[in-house]
């Protein structure tokens, strides 16, 4: 047992084997969680209880100067400076593979043991009990708060991810972008907003702002489940309702029912056993939902997220149905201004840009000058004003100076939060109208446009993911890492 340098953490043990460290993490979490759940059941049955508390597991490492072997090519997996590092962890059942990968990198890159113990951060009751009991009414809430821990929002923030924690935090330096409590907060929100479970989310995420993309995705998923050779084993829609592929591996069963009313951000998951499937989230229109979705999905540490949606074209040479590949953003969405100031650039991710461009060429069959004519690469202006056209005379200079080629309401938000949370990102939009030039869709014209383009657009996104799935190690760019970067991806 070790002690001292990791602050108030107790029962610390050293490990040089990732599997044994994971087993200890599981034991701490499971033992505490079960004791709280049992006490909550007794409380619901009218049996008073003394205060019951569970604590998040703690993972730490001490890196002396002589063990600081930092390769120039590493984007994660190693602290940048010698010192004491630590973080609280949660839901080892959900994050076991991710935790194992991060621990193995620490052991490999520094050749010193990691330590696992019991932190001083209690696990709040709402993050341990997924369903309430009818026996608990409003008058019981005060008594409930005297027995069980509730979320402490004063200590649950994004200071580490935002890069403003330097010199502020006490004790060990952060090992991860998110504390256990911050992760649990987002897991609870995901259940609420998407009507699916965190374990359903895949490592590649598509965001869209139109229901028609969802309809196409559902049709694609049905075809995959009919194909016995498909790499996808299940499809999950809001409910959650789980559909299983014919001849699916043992353990996969149909379950659940679809929701009667869709949630705010319905999510659909085409699942692979290795977690490298595709999740599609319909965020609707506007930057607020785009921020909410990415704030919470970020804790699941996806390998990439892409925005596929519609935009207004700003160039007369563009035609309805043309593609826009964003390589820069005018951030007029404003929802992230306090987290990621406007003076911070949001760079394109080379691997994502190349994969998107290659997939457009592959799926459309376009080449050479024809390809350059039908897909423009440039700046997308993201606004928080759905009726920006009514202020066009005011915005003209801004759009003109920025060289923007399209306007939408979500792309910059998703890219900026990708940069902020170190999640590789990309944007491929489809020009659906050109209000600046008086080119608006007539009703019949719109239906024809949607039929022709949305299926193709979705196929481009899916093909891009097929490419990126084989390039995961190259995907996590060093340009997303800071000077004082936590070691966890």
């Amino acid at each position: 047992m070790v002690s001292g340098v990791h602050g108030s953490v107790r029962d610390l043990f050293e490990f040089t084997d990732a599997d044994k460290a994971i087993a200890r993490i599981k034991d701490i979490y499971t033992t505490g969680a079960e004791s709280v759940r049992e006490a909550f059941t007794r409380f619901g049955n009218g049996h008073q209880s003394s205060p019951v508390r569970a604590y998040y597991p703690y993972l730490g490492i001490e890196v002396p100067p002589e063990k600081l072997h930092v390769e120039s090519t590493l984007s994660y997996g190693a602290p940048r400076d010698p010192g004491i590092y630590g973080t609280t962890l949660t839901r080892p059942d959900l994050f076991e593979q991710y935790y194992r990968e991060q621990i193995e990198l620490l052991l490999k890159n520094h050749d010193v043991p990691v330590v696992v113990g019991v932190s001083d951060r209690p696990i709040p009751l709402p993050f341990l009990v997924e369903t309430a009991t009818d026996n608990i009414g409003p008058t019981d809430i005060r008594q409930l708060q005297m027995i069980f821990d509730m979320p402490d929002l004063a200590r649950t923030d994004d200071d580490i991810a935002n890069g403003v924690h330097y010199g502020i935090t006490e004790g060990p330096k952060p090992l991860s972008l998110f504390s256990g409590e911050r992760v649990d907060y987002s897991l609870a929100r995901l259940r609420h907003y998407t009507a699916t479970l965190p374990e359903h989310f895949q490592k590649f995420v598509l965001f869209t702002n139109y229901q028609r993309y969802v309809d196409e995705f559902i049709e694609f998923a049905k075809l995959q489940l009919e194909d016995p050779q498909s790499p996808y084993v299940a499809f999950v829609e809001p409910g959650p309702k789980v559909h299983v592929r014919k001849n699916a591996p043992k353990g996969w069963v149909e379950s659940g029912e679809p929701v009667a009313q869709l949630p705010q951000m319905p999510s659909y998951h085409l699942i692979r056993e290795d977690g490298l499937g595709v999740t599609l989230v319909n965020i609707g229109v506007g930057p607020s939902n785009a921020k909410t979705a990415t704030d919470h999905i970020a804790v699941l540490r996806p390998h990439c997220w892409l925005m596929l949606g519609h935009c207004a074209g700003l160039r007369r040479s563009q035609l309805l149905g043309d593609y826009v590949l964003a390589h820069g953003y005018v951030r007029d969405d404003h929802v992230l201004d306090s987290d990621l100031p406007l003076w911070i650039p949001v760079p394109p991710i080379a691997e994502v840009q190349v994969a998107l461009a290659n997939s457009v060429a592959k799926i459309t069959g376009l080449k050479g000058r024809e390809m350059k004519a039908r897909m423009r690469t440039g700046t997308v202006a993201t606004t928080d004003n759905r009726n920006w056209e009514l202020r066009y005379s005011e915005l003209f200079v801004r759009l003109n100076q920025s060289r923007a080629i399209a306007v939408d309401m979500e792309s910059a938000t998703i890219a900026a939060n990708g940069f902020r949370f170190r999640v590789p990102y990309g944007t491929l939009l489809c020009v659906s109208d050109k209000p600046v030039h008086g080119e608006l869709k007539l009703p019949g014209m719109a239906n024809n446009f949607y039929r022709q383009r949305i299926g193709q657009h979705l196929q481009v996104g899916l093909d891009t993911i097929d490419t990126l799935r084989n390039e995961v190690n190259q995907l996590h760019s060093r340009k997303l890492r800071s000077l004082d970067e936590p070691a966890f991806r």
Side-chain angles (χ1 to χ4, degrees):
M1 183 181 294
V2 294
S3 60
V5 297
H6 293 275
S8 56
V9 180
R10 56 186 171 84
D11 300 333
L12 276 169
F13 290 89
E14 292 185 344
F15 296 94
T16 57
D17 181 279
D19 287 331
K20 292 180 179 179
I22 293 293
R24 170 76 170 140
I25 292 166
K26 284 183 174 181
D27 181 63
I28 294 171
Y29 183 86
T30 303
T31 301
E34 289 178 351
S35 66
V36 170
R37 289 170 184 147
E38 290 171 0
F40 179 73
T41 299
R42 293 194 300 271
F43 181 89
N45 292 330
H47 302 290
Q48 297 297 326
S49 173
S50 57
V52 179
R53 176 169 286 175
Y55 294 91
Y56 285 108
Y58 171 89
L59 175 72
I61 188 171
E62 180 177 2
V63 182
E66 65 273 15
K67 293 292 185 179
L68 192 70
H69 305 304
V70 181
E71 297 181 19
S72 61
T73 57
L74 287 178
S75 60
Y76 61 91
R80 301 302 178 189
D81 298 298
I84 311 298
Y85 296 84
T87 187
T88 52
L89 305 177
T90 190
R91 290 293 304 276
D93 60 314
L94 179 62
F95 293 103
E96 179 175 354
Q97 181 179 351
Y98 171 71
Y99 289 157
R100 181 179 290 105
E101 290 172 352
Q102 306 312 304
I103 293 171
E104 286 176 345
L105 285 172
L106 291 173
L107 295 172
K108 173 186 174 182
N109 290 330
H110 297 294
D111 192 30
V112 294
V114 297
V115 296
V116 176
V118 182
S119 76
D120 63 351
R121 294 298 303 149
I123 307 176
L125 174 69
F127 301 154
L128 292 171
V129 180
E130 296 183 1
T131 56
T133 172
D134 293 336
N135 297 333
I136 297 178
T139 57
D140 298 311
I141 297 299
R142 181 169 297 179
Q143 181 66 25
L144 191 74
Q145 293 174 332
M146 296 177 63
I147 298 175
F148 302 100
D149 288 293
M150 295 297 161
D152 182 3
L153 294 182
R155 296 185 60 176
T156 306
D157 54 44
D158 283 325
D159 284 357
I160 299 172
N162 290 347
V164 298
H165 66 285
Y166 187 78
I168 298 176
T169 56
E170 298 179 357
K173 300 176 184 179
L175 192 59
S176 172
L177 292 175
F178 306 107
S179 67
E181 194 164 359
R182 171 64 174 84
V183 172
D184 276 339
Y185 169 79
S186 282
L187 298 183
R189 289 293 185 268
L190 285 175
R191 287 192 291 269
H192 171 72
Y193 285 122
T194 72
T196 55
L197 302 178
E199 47 264 43
H200 294 145
F201 278 79
Q202 301 295 284
K203 294 299 183 183
F204 293 92
V205 183
L206 297 176
F207 295 104
T208 189
N209 50 13
Y210 282 95
Q211 176 63 30
R212 291 175 186 258
Y213 286 85
V214 174
D215 297 338
E216 288 287 337
F217 189 70
I218 292 173
E219 291 304 311
F220 175 78
K222 288 179 179 178
L223 291 176
Q224 294 299 307
L225 297 190
E226 292 291 329
D227 181 0
Q229 303 302 316
S230 171
Y232 301 105
V233 297
F235 173 65
V236 180
E237 60 180 305
K241 168 61 178 174
V242 180
H243 305 267
V244 176
R245 190 192 73 199
K246 292 182 177 180
N247 81 331
K250 186 177 181 180
W252 291 92
V253 295
E254 302 265 344
S255 64
E257 294 293 335
V259 291
Q261 293 182 327
L262 289 176
Q264 185 172 349
M265 289 174 287
S267 298
Y268 303 80
H269 314 278
L270 196 47
I271 295 177
R272 286 172 45 131
E273 285 198 287
D274 58 7
L276 298 179
V278 185
T279 287
L280 176 72
V281 184
N282 183 1
I283 54 175
V285 177
S288 180
N289 272 6
K291 178 182 183 298
T292 299
T294 48
D295 275 352
H296 300 314
I297 294 173
V299 306
L300 299 174
R301 308 317 296 144
H303 287 310
C304 182
W305 57 45
L306 304 174
M307 175 65 193
L308 301 181
H310 288 173
C311 65
L314 293 179
R315 302 301 172 90
R316 190 171 294 279
S317 59
Q318 290 171 305
L319 299 177
L320 301 189
D322 282 358
Y323 290 119
V324 171
L325 176 59
H327 72 182
Y329 304 90
V330 176
R331 292 173 51 202
D332 274 345
D333 52 320
H334 300 302
V335 294
L336 283 168
D337 290 1
S338 60
D339 292 302
L340 194 74
L342 289 174
W343 55 263
I344 297 175
V346 179
I349 307 300
E351 291 80 2
V352 178
Q353 299 295 99
V354 171
L356 280 167
N358 288 342
S359 290
V360 171
K362 175 182 175 182
I363 299 300
T364 64
L366 298 174
K367 298 179 181 179
R369 293 180 60 84
E370 189 179 12
M371 171 72 169
K372 289 178 68 68
R374 299 282 69 85
M375 186 183 78
R376 294 287 297 266
T377 300
T379 298
V380 171
T382 294
T383 177
D384 58 359
N385 181 3
R386 178 59 187 87
N387 299 311
W388 62 273
E389 301 97 326
L390 302 181
R391 299 177 60 194
Y392 175 64
S393 59
E394 176 184 333
L395 295 175
F396 177 83
V397 172
R398 198 166 166 78
L399 295 173
N400 196 42
Q401 289 179 325
S402 70
R403 278 65 161 179
I405 61 173
V407 176
D408 85 335
M409 297 189 68
E410 301 86 22
S411 294
T413 313
I414 288 169
N417 244 4
F419 179 85
R420 177 178 168 227
F421 291 128
R422 289 73 161 173
V423 177
Y425 49 86
T427 298
L428 183 71
L429 303 176
C430 188
V431 176
S432 61
D433 62 354
K434 294 173 58 185
V436 172
H437 303 99
E439 296 184 27
L440 304 176
K441 300 185 298 291
L442 299 176
M445 178 183 172
N447 289 334
N448 185 54
F449 165 79
Y450 288 132
R451 282 195 299 269
Q452 290 181 347
R453 275 293 180 262
I454 289 178
Q456 182 187 85
H457 196 181
L458 179 64
Q459 287 301 317
V460 170
L462 294 170
D463 187 75
T464 300
I465 288 174
D466 286 342
T467 298
L468 296 177
R469 191 180 288 118
N470 297 319
E471 300 178 357
V472 168
N473 291 335
Q474 292 78 39
L475 189 56
H476 297 284
S477 174
R478 285 176 292 170
K479 67 168 64 78
L480 295 179
R481 312 295 155 180
S482 66
L483 296 173
D484 187 39
E485 186 70 13
F488 274 27
R489 175 177 66 78

